[in-house]
Amino acid sequence: MVTGATQNPTPPTKLRWGELDEDDGEDLDFLLPPKQVIGPDENGIKKVLEYKFNDEGNKVKITTTTRVRKLANARLSKQAVERRSWPKFGDAVREDVGSRLTMVSTEEILLERPRAPGSKAEEQKAAGDPLTQLGKGGAVLMVCRTCGKKGDHWTSRCPYKDLALPAESFVDKPAVPETATAAAGSGKNTYVPPGMRAGADRSGTDMRRRNDENSVRVTNLSEDTREADLHELFRPFGAVSRVYVAIDQKTGMSRGFGFVNFVNKDDAQRAINKLNGYGYDNLILRVEWATPRTN
Amino acid sequence: MRPILMKGHERPLTFLKYNRDGDLLFSCAKDHTPTVWFADNGERLGTYRGHNGAVWTCDVSRDSMRLITGSADQTVKLWNVQKGTQLYTFNFGSPARSVEFAIGDKLAVITTDPFMELTSAIHVKRIAGDSTEQTEESVLVIKGPQGRINRAVWGPLNRTIISAGEDAVIRIWDFETGKLLKESDKESGHKKTITSLTKAADGSHFLSGSLDKSAKLWDTRTLTLIKTYSTERPVNAVAMSPLLDHVVLGGGQDASAVTTTDHRAGKFEAKFYDKILQEEIGGVKGHFGPINALAFNPDGKSCSSGGEDGYVRLHHFDPDYFNIKI
């Protein structure tokens, strides 16, 4: 682009140097300072300072600030350059400059590298044995309110925080797909399906199926046993993802059996060992694996 | 990188194609008007008006003078790229699903859908240099595959035609005789509809994407399966980088997963895979709907994706893209 640097500043009135007075030395206003280019700095910002005479004959300083950003090395072939100057056709003929058909995204989009699979899986395994976690030297005894695990994580960082609080909300049988329940999202803004929740293992079996393998059947329950009672009873053994008590719709009484789903198999095994034969509310409980002999 | 968003189409995108020089990008959508854009800054150059149905496919000649488009209005039209005028219309009995110019641009392969009594077919038409001499007659018509043929491309040196479609089988036909030369193996091949096919820059291998959530890389001559790339989503579009050994898959969402979507928008992504190691390199998010079309600029430094949301997103890669290591 042609700049003002090459033009000869012609003063409005033709002065001949011989006619200048001595003290008109400062009046050499017809000479303009040279153009200055402050080159692209690290952000690619380039400033060009130009001096010109505007229409009224006043000296004006024009500062052009441009951001030089290399989009792509456009090494266009000759035909491509010709194509650049083709006239618009079709619907583009009537296009005004402000049509905003094409715009640069306001967000910076990155090529996101996939997360290392270990990071999620380890969270699960570490949560497996809460009692040993307690022994970890000197740590503050954190109790997570959601899953009841001690010493592992804070409530806000609970990997199971999106699961429905089992006691109050879940009345459905575990086998029913979870898409229906609104209760799951009761404490949150949105419904997050189990497959997408934090702590969900999406490789192969999803969380629900794994939990179903850790399903414990409890029989010989007293009439007024409810989910909350089972949850309270089984909670010391580990994180309980779901409880269900079969309730007779007509009488509102428990039909004597229920299911408890643990997150971890070992917790379920310990619960079975401890609670089988346990006296609870005037009846002796029978606790066993729900599906026959899961290994 | 900051993608350039182009919202010229009112309806979902169906196909994207760069011209050979890489300075023009042609987009086809269900809104009847294919559009051409400048590939560097996304500025719209023009639109081709004339079709009465969704435009499924397009191809541009090597000199970027002619555009051929196939549409659901049962016609395939030839256009002057520069002026936007129609040069010729081929009429068929059913929607045209895929078109491609042959090497040399003297022939074009066109596939048509099954429609009423007609079965799906592959047509080869001669393209005259002077469009006033253009005739309707077919050089070759191949019938045979069941179901829709979603894509048919020319093999090396125009000797063969490779077709793929709803029956999940890739077939190689001889152009001279119209006979079936090879079929892809049923066990190792795709299990569901093949939605897209793209050739490597040198034509020695090609990539097919299918609704069975995988894409497969095949050798062109022998039709042996070389690589498989698996994703969690049905694959609607595939593209191969001409510069690096990368493969990009773009997809949609299984109908069953609709209720489980993230409520945040803009999360449909195009996934990049290493071509040789079959591992995922990364994903580029941003589309508001399933991605239906992907294309790489022949210089390999930018790519574009078109989605169900009607947007075309043009990405010029950052310098670190070229340095990605697994």
Side-chain angles (χ1 to χ4, degrees), chain A residues 34-286:
Chain A
K35 179 178 112 169
Q36 252 183 302
V37 177
I38 303 164
D41 60 10
E42 66 272 6
N43 289 331
I45 301 193
K46 183 169 93 170
K47 277 210 180 98
V48 177
L49 298 171
E50 271 181 300
Y51 293 88
K52 274 205 327 230
F53 283 110
N54 69 357
D55 296 320
E56 288 116 32
N58 298 326
K59 206 194 313 184
V60 288
K61 174 177 164 188
I62 302 169
T63 310
T64 317
T65 311
T66 48
R67 183 146 162 258
V68 177
R69 202 163 154 250
K70 227 178 183 184
L71 266 188
N73 270 341
R75 238 165 264 145
L76 299 175
S77 65
K78 204 168 74 170
Q79 288 102 345
V81 173
E82 275 169 38
R83 286 193 279 265
R84 249 316 185 160
S85 49
W86 278 355
K88 304 257 162 93
F89 58 90
D91 293 332
V93 168
R94 278 173 264 104
E95 200 162 307
D96 42 51
V97 182
S99 65
R100 315 245 300 152
L101 222 58
T102 303
M103 40 186 179
V104 181
S105 165
T106 46
E107 289 173 36
E108 180 88 10
I109 304 275
L110 305 164
L111 183 69
E112 292 167 18
R113 308 299 299 263
R115 252 179 306 208
S119 56
K120 286 269 166 183
E122 273 153 27
E123 231 182 45
Q124 288 285 71
K125 286 191 220 119
D129 219 340
L131 299 177
T132 55
Q133 291 273 346
L134 278 182
K136 263 204 206 146
V140 154
L141 195 67
M142 309 178 276
V143 182
C144 169
R145 278 183 284 251
T146 314
C147 64
K149 279 215 281 273
K150 296 189 177 60
D152 185 38
H153 51 261
W154 299 105
T155 309
S156 58
R157 299 203 48 90
C158 177
Y160 315 117
K161 67 180 168 198
D162 292 311
L163 290 172
L165 301 176
E168 304 89 77
S169 3
F170 261 82
V171 192
D172 309 38
K173 275 200 81 156
V176 169
E178 274 110 310
T179 49
T181 10
S186 58
K188 304 238 141 219
N189 294 331
T190 57
Y191 170 69
V192 181
M196 313 282 193
R197 290 176 192 158
D201 180 2
R202 259 171 282 173
S203 58
T205 56
D206 64 359
M207 191 162 196
R208 182 161 36 102
R209 239 179 299 149
R210 245 185 315 117
N211 276 324
D212 287 349
E213 286 165 11
N214 311 334
S215 187
V216 173
R217 176 172 51 232
V218 191
T219 28
N220 208 25
L221 292 173
S222 63
E223 295 177 332
D224 41 26
T225 308
R226 294 292 173 269
E227 271 93 8
D229 307 319
L230 277 195
H231 183 65
E232 205 184 295
L233 179 63
F234 283 86
R235 215 174 62 153
F237 296 95
V240 172
S241 64
R242 194 171 316 139
V243 268
Y244 169 71
V245 173
I247 298 195
D248 187 339
Q249 297 299 337
K250 293 201 197 97
T251 67
M253 301 295 194
S254 155
R255 284 170 56 196
F257 68 94
F259 292 90
V260 178
N261 279 53
F262 283 92
V263 172
N264 299 297
K265 201 108 181 276
D266 329 315
D267 298 341
Q269 182 65 65
R270 274 181 301 129
I272 291 175
N273 299 340
K274 270 270 152 83
L275 290 180
N276 195 16
Y278 181 72
Y280 186 73
D281 196 16
N282 84 323
L283 290 179
I284 299 187
L285 295 180
R286 197 167 88 222

Side-chain angles (χ1 to χ4, degrees), chain B residues 3 43 55-56 84 87 125 177 180 241 245 307:
Chain B
E43 190 189 327
V55 182
W56 292 115
L87 296 172
K125 300 271 187 202
T177 58
L180 177 63
S241 168
D245 281 332

Side-chain angles (χ1 to χ4, degrees), chain B residues 8-9 25-29 31 33-37 44-48:
Chain B
H9 290 286
L25 174 63
F26 295 87
S27 61
C28 308
D31 66 350
T33 32
T35 309
V36 62
W37 316 76
R44 185 167 74 166
L45 172 58
T47 61
Y48 301 92

Side-chain angles (χ1 to χ4, degrees), chain B residues 171-245:
Chain B
R171 294 188 173 81
I172 298 192
W173 311 82
D174 179 71
F175 167 55
E176 306 278 313
T177 58
K179 282 217 191 55
L180 177 63
L181 291 176
K182 284 200 183 48
E183 264 187 17
S184 66
D185 186 31
K186 279 247 162 30
E187 288 88 50
S188 62
H190 284 294
K191 303 285 176 293
K192 283 196 189 167
T193 303
I194 300 176
T195 49
S196 49
L197 213 150
T198 183
K199 291 187 283 191
D202 61 4
S204 63
H205 50 283
F206 64 90
L207 182 65
S208 61
S210 156
L211 295 182
D212 66 358
K213 305 187 188 174
S214 74
K216 291 183 192 279
L217 193 68
W218 308 82
D219 176 289
T220 313
R221 272 183 312 133
T222 60
L223 204 51
T224 40
L225 177 62
I226 309 175
K227 298 280 178 194
T228 306
Y229 312 92
S230 46
T231 68
E232 290 152 9
R233 293 186 168 178
V235 177
N236 288 341
V238 290
M240 272 197 276
S241 168
L243 196 63
L244 302 173
D245 281 332

Side-chain angles (χ1 to χ4, degrees), chain B residues 64-262:
Chain B
S64 304
M65 292 306 297
R66 273 186 293 185
L67 176 73
I68 187 170
T69 55
S71 158
D73 65 357
Q74 305 181 359
T75 63
V76 167
K77 288 184 194 281
L78 273 177
W79 310 79
N80 176 316
V81 169
Q82 177 177 3
K83 305 248 170 33
T85 51
Q86 282 183 46
L87 296 172
Y88 194 75
T89 303
F90 294 98
N91 288 302
F92 294 94
S94 57
R97 189 62 59 163
S98 159
V99 293
E100 208 202 31
F101 276 119
I103 301 171
D105 300 334
K106 293 271 186 322
L107 300 161
V109 65
I110 298 163
T111 61
T112 49
D113 288 349
F115 187 67
M116 299 216 277
E117 303 86 33
L118 292 171
T119 54
S120 56
I122 302 173
H123 306 254
V124 178
K125 300 271 187 202
R126 200 169 290 285
I127 307 285
D130 182 357
S131 31
T132 51
E133 292 168 4
Q134 184 73 51
T135 55
E136 178 87 30
E137 52 162 318
S138 297
V139 172
L140 178 67
V141 179
I142 303 173
K143 289 199 220 277
Q146 297 285 62
R148 213 162 71 184
I149 304 173
N150 279 327
R151 195 97 177 96
V153 296
W154 289 96
L157 296 180
N158 297 342
R159 292 220 199 97
T160 53
I161 296 172
I162 306 168
S163 74
E166 263 182 352
D167 56 1
V169 176
I170 300 178
R171 294 188 173 81
I172 298 192
W173 311 82
D174 179 71
F175 167 55
E176 306 278 313
T177 58
K179 282 217 191 55
L180 177 63
L181 291 176
K182 284 200 183 48
E183 264 187 17
S184 66
D185 186 31
K186 279 247 162 30
E187 288 88 50
S188 62
H190 284 294
K191 303 285 176 293
K192 283 196 189 167
T193 303
I194 300 176
T195 49
S196 49
L197 213 150
T198 183
K199 291 187 283 191
D202 61 4
S204 63
H205 50 283
F206 64 90
L207 182 65
S208 61
S210 156
L211 295 182
D212 66 358
K213 305 187 188 174
S214 74
K216 291 183 192 279
L217 193 68
W218 308 82
D219 176 289
T220 313
R221 272 183 312 133
T222 60
L223 204 51
T224 40
L225 177 62
I226 309 175
K227 298 280 178 194
T228 306
Y229 312 92
S230 46
T231 68
E232 290 152 9
R233 293 186 168 178
V235 177
N236 288 341
V238 290
M240 272 197 276
S241 168
L243 196 63
L244 302 173
D245 281 332
H246 290 168
V247 150
V248 192
L249 310 184
Q253 202 176 19
D254 241 348
S256 58
V258 167
T259 56
T260 62
T261 355
D262 224 319

